[in-house]
Amino acid sequence: MKYRPILFFILSCVFLCEAKVKLPVLVSDGMVLQCDRNITIWGTADAGEEVNVRFLEESYMTAADTGGKWSVILPPAKAGGPYVMTVNELEIRDILIGDVWLCSGQSNMELPVGRVMDMFREEVESYANPMIRHIKVPLAYNFHHPQQDINPASWKELTPENALSFSAVAYFFAKDMFEKTKVPVGLINASVGGSPAEAWISEEGLKHFPAYLNDRDICRSDEYVSNVKNLDRERRNVWNTILYQRDVGLNETQKWFSYDYDDSDWKKVNLFDKTWGSNGLNPINGSHWLRKEFSVPAHSVGKPAVLRLGCIVDADSVFVNGVFVGTTSYQYPPRIYRIPENILKEGLNNITVRLISYSGYPGFVEDKPYKIVFDQEEISLEGIWKYRQGTRMPTLPGETFFQYKPTGLYNAMVAPLQHWNIKGVLWYQGESNIGRYNEYYDLMEALIGDWRDLWKHPELPFLIVQLANFMQDPPRPAESHWAELRNVQSELSKTIPNTGLVVTIDIGEWNDIHPLNKKDVGKRLSLQAQRIAYGDHGVIANGPVYRSMTVKGNRLILSFEEGTNDLIPVKELKGFAVAGADGKYEWAEAVPEGDKVIVWNEHIPEPVKVRYAWGNNPGNANLKNGSGLPASPFEASLPEGSGQVDR
């Protein structure tokens, strides 16, 4: 009996803790609420519990329903802040009211500012703005049903330190938008590297895609998903264990990364030579070791130094004078490793790279920096290295990325946001759908409609970033899946209301699927936002938009949409190809004449088709208008018996 008061006290405490109001992740310190739209605040509590929301000197009462859910709708408010809100005993501080943008897609949207510091370091380190906030929705997926909330995360104010984790595209977009509007900007970053469009669409949105829904249904077996994950993990662990055990470079008495290791009998290779990673037909997977000597002058010894090793396929561990300085586990991130003080010495030093290749051709990506950088000078590491293989391994099959499966990301990362009014959507995605470009229009039409239904906003602005130029093209005109998907993105922007297209065909990099120039992407998104979301019809947001074509002799005469057709005069336009009735394209000459473009090939007397910037990487394409904005890649044909064709 003597324990009853203590037990009663404990149970009372538990009851009181459980009775507290709980708020969703988004409703937290530093949040940005959409201005000029109803504001929904929601959460959970014990059934029947009264909830009092106080904001902007007004009070709003409600009670939790039988399921413990509650919500209140606050009237629209003008942009401003910071403000404080209380929900019963909870206080949410530093609240802004402004414009909120959902930033979604795959890795080029997810790519953080920290990855583009080579190009924008000075700008990032010198800029702060408490009126810009960013929240990164953590990776999650759910194949069973839409979730009610996202995983824990927090709103971050734009400071030089916080900016490093912001989406780079969203960062530059927000900076430009704030400069134009002076309205606070909230960025909800729900993006996942490598994700295909179908992962971001609901079950209802995919009703015309039975194969995708069947794939989703397979993933509804939690046991199956768990077993596959365990198998992938076990296979990876065993593969790496065997690699470590059999790698001669790690198991000889003297390790191959040792400073004084004798590598005199190693093969000499150029850093970018492809032969050492191949047997002449197929790639050699496993461990590859490369070593190089370099000389450090006396005046550089003891100074801070950074090692730049471009990008490496696939993984690496790096040693300088036998000391480990860094590792990266996959191919895309730039290798930037700080060399600890007192490691470098006057005279000869050496660097050792242990490169791991899993399933493709190993190598160092060309046209990237390979050097040691001091404050005022640098030491090149290009040229001849010494090479030896550690051990050869079978191909390591790729793991199953369940976050790429249909509906998963929508349910876990988009559906929980539905109560949060937004100004619009910034969408940068498509690389993962290149091989299925023929269905991309239908998928994106479903996705855009899906999201507009979710937010009950049929005209929700949806701004699409077209894929940038990438890889290398053959010397002659050729078919291109990248061009096909860009063309679909262009068609989406022309046929679905309140969508805009940001063309980036001029700012890609042939050797990097993640080009650094995210500033121009953000600024061009800002132009489209001003045009579509703010109704500023005076802003020029598009480069030349193809409209129609006529023919005169062997010349095709191209016209462009009014307002985009103040073509920049250049001596010669690049990137055009024409074809006759046989459909065989040849490079063409082209010149601007006023607001028209004249295209021809003297060896094709009766051209009926034209293409512009049609390739993986049409880097020489130079059709722009007076705003400096590039034309989207396009193709057009004259119908039989006609001298003109419209879009």
Side-chain angles (χ1 to χ4, degrees):
M1 295 293 294
K2 62 182 179 179
Y3 297 109
R4 283 184 178 178
I6 297 175
L7 179 60
F8 176 79
F9 175 77
I10 293 173
L11 291 175
S12 298
C13 289
V14 170
F15 175 79
L16 289 172
C17 290
E18 290 179 348
K20 284 186 178 180
V21 166
K22 294 182 180 178
L23 298 173
V25 169
L26 286 177
V27 182
S28 54
D29 291 348
M31 65 183 180
V32 183
L33 301 169
Q34 179 59 44
C35 65
D36 302 322
R37 298 286 302 275
N38 286 339
I39 297 170
T40 301
I41 303 297
W42 74 102
T44 60
D46 281 355
E49 181 178 357
E50 290 188 354
V51 179
N52 180 16
V53 177
R54 288 192 57 82
F55 188 55
L56 299 180
E57 300 182 354
E58 297 290 341
S59 183
Y60 307 87
M61 298 291 296
T62 189
D65 63 19
T66 56
K69 297 179 181 179
W70 61 267
S71 67
V72 295
I73 298 178
L74 284 57
K78 297 297 182 182
Y83 303 116
V84 174
M85 175 186 293
T86 62
V87 182
N88 286 10
E89 74 281 4
L90 301 177
E91 185 176 80
I92 304 102
R93 294 176 292 274
D94 195 23
I95 300 168
L96 298 180
I97 300 175
D99 286 329
V100 182
W101 291 86
L102 174 58
C103 313
S104 190
Q106 55 184 108
S107 55
N108 270 304
M109 179 59 79
E110 188 174 33
L111 192 84
V113 169
R115 284 275 294 275
V116 300
M117 292 294 277
D118 277 358
M119 186 173 287
F120 303 110
R121 179 175 299 278
E122 183 176 346
E123 179 175 352
V124 172
E125 292 182 346
S126 62
Y127 184 78
N129 190 337
M131 294 293 105
I132 296 176
R133 310 285 173 80
H134 177 279
I135 186 170
K136 178 65 168 74
V137 179
L139 171 63
Y141 52 87
N142 189 318
F143 303 115
H144 297 285
H145 52 76
Q147 292 182 187
Q148 297 299 309
D149 201 1
I150 60 174
N151 288 342
S154 59
W155 291 90
K156 300 293 185 183
E157 176 184 313
L158 198 165
T159 65
E161 297 75 26
N162 289 340
L164 299 178
S165 63
F166 281 35
S167 156
V169 167
Y171 170 88
F172 289 112
F173 167 80
K175 283 186 64 177
D176 201 68
M177 286 307 308
F178 184 81
E179 181 179 323
K180 299 295 189 303
T181 67
K182 304 306 179 185
V183 170
V185 181
L187 304 166
I188 301 177
N189 178 5
S191 54
V192 175
S195 57
E198 59 270 17
W200 297 101
I201 305 175
S202 73
E203 178 178 7
E204 175 65 19
L206 288 175
K207 63 185 178 182
H208 298 303
F209 299 89
Y212 288 131
L213 288 181
N214 290 340
D215 191 12
R216 184 279 313 269
D217 287 345
I218 292 172
C219 297
R220 280 182 158 175
S221 168
D222 295 335
E223 183 179 7
Y224 163 75
V225 171
S226 178
N227 288 341
V228 170
K229 285 183 176 180
N230 289 336
L231 179 61
D232 283 350
R233 188 181 304 110
E234 180 66 16
R235 180 170 54 209
R236 202 162 51 245
N237 289 342
V238 171
W239 194 92
N240 282 306
T241 297
I242 298 301
L243 173 75
Y244 184 87
Q245 292 175 347
R246 305 294 163 79
D247 190 336
V248 183
L250 295 175
N251 290 286
E252 282 191 350
T253 302
Q254 189 177 29
K255 307 295 188 286
W256 289 2
F257 58 77
S258 301
Y259 168 71
D260 55 353
Y261 179 82
D262 182 6
D263 57 19
S264 58
D265 61 342
W266 285 26
K267 180 180 178 180
K268 292 183 179 180
V269 300
N270 186 283
L271 184 64
F272 305 119
D273 190 353
K274 306 300 182 185
T275 60
W276 56 263
S278 165
N279 63 6
L281 180 63
N282 297 308
I284 296 175
N285 299 130
S287 63
H288 304 266
W289 292 75
L290 295 102
R291 287 172 58 93
K292 184 179 182 66
E293 287 188 334
F294 59 93
S295 183
V296 176
H299 63 264
S300 294
V301 174
K303 292 183 178 180
V306 176
L307 173 63
R308 302 295 304 265
L309 283 177
C311 293
I312 299 175
V313 184
D314 291 300
D316 61 271
S317 295
V318 181
F319 306 82
V320 174
N321 289 343
V323 177
F324 174 76
V325 296
T327 183
T328 305
S329 62
Y330 67 110
Q331 70 182 75
Y332 294 115
R335 274 54 172 184
I336 306 174
Y337 303 137
R338 294 197 176 277
I339 300 176
E341 294 182 10
N342 303 318
I343 296 302
L344 297 176
K345 60 181 185 178
E346 181 181 356
L348 286 182
N349 297 255
N350 62 43
I351 178 174
T352 304
V353 177
R354 180 179 183 251
L355 185 156
I356 307 301
S357 174
Y358 299 119
S359 60
Y361 285 90
F364 297 80
V365 177
E366 296 182 52
D367 289 347
K368 295 287 185 180
Y370 295 88
K371 56 191 177 182
I372 294 174
V373 182
F374 300 92
D375 286 338
Q376 301 295 327
E377 62 182 323
E378 57 188 46
I379 300 170
S380 173
L381 296 175
E382 295 189 14
I384 301 300
W385 286 57
K386 291 186 175 181
Y387 167 78
R388 187 175 177 185
Q389 185 172 3
T391 190
R392 185 169 182 176
M393 292 289 291
T395 295
L396 175 62
E399 65 182 285
T400 304
F401 292 100
F402 284 101
Q403 62 264 38
Y404 300 164
K405 296 296 185 178
T407 75
L409 298 181
Y410 172 88
N411 285 339
M413 296 178 66
V414 176
L417 311 176
Q418 62 181 299
H419 299 303
W420 207 267
N421 273 323
I422 59 176
K423 187 72 172 181
V425 176
L426 312 181
W427 177 259
Y428 195 159
Q429 191 276 336
E431 296 92 341
S432 291
N433 288 87
I434 289 288
R436 295 170 284 127
Y437 68 83
N438 59 316
E439 63 181 21
Y440 194 68
Y441 186 97
D442 291 337
L443 282 171
M444 286 303 301
E445 185 179 38
L447 186 150
I448 294 169
D450 216 8
W451 291 21
R452 287 175 171 175
D453 288 344
L454 183 71
W455 270 278
K456 298 179 176 60
H457 191 344
E459 296 182 349
L460 182 70
F462 200 98
L463 311 182
I464 300 167
V465 180
Q466 193 181 56
L467 298 187
N469 47 312
F470 175 54
M471 299 187 294
Q472 292 178 311
D473 283 324
R476 297 179 60 83
E479 300 303 312
S480 164
H481 286 188
W482 282 74
E484 295 281 5
L485 193 126
R486 292 188 193 108
N487 197 46
V488 172
Q489 292 174 316
S490 178
E491 287 303 308
L492 285 164
S493 70
K494 294 175 182 177
T495 56
I496 298 180
N498 263 34
T499 59
L501 183 72
V502 168
V503 178
T504 62
I505 200 65
D506 59 331
I507 54 178
E509 299 175 23
W510 78 266
N511 60 356
D512 201 332
I513 201 170
H514 305 118
L516 292 182
N517 187 359
K518 295 297 189 281
K519 182 174 183 177
D520 280 335
V521 180
K523 293 182 71 173
R524 292 174 189 180
L525 277 166
S526 172
L527 291 173
Q528 290 291 352
Q530 293 168 54
R531 180 178 71 91
I532 295 173
Y534 295 88
D536 186 350
H537 300 296
V539 68
I540 303 299
N542 293 309
V545 177
Y546 171 78
R547 184 180 68 186
S548 63
M549 176 169 64
T550 59
V551 62
K552 185 175 181 180
N554 70 339
R555 260 64 169 169
L556 295 174
I557 304 167
L558 311 183
S559 298
F560 300 86
E561 297 284 357
E562 291 292 332
T564 72
N565 57 355
D566 59 328
L567 308 182
I568 292 180
V570 294
K571 184 177 181 180
E572 181 181 8
L573 289 169
K574 300 288 188 179
F576 281 93
V578 296
D582 61 1
K584 295 181 180 178
Y585 281 93
E586 299 290 344
W587 294 123
E589 296 181 70
V591 293
E593 286 192 4
D595 59 0
K596 304 283 194 298
V597 170
I598 314 301
V599 188
W600 74 96
N601 181 304
E602 295 296 354
H603 302 290
I604 301 178
E606 297 183 1
V608 297
K609 298 181 178 181
V610 63
R611 281 177 170 174
Y612 171 70
W614 199 266
N616 299 327
N617 185 12
N620 62 348
N622 62 339
L623 176 59
K624 297 184 177 183
N625 60 16
S627 296
L629 296 171
S632 169
F634 63 86
E635 63 175 351
S637 301
L638 288 169
E640 291 186 29
S642 173
Q644 179 171 338
V645 62
D646 291 326
R647 288 179 302 169

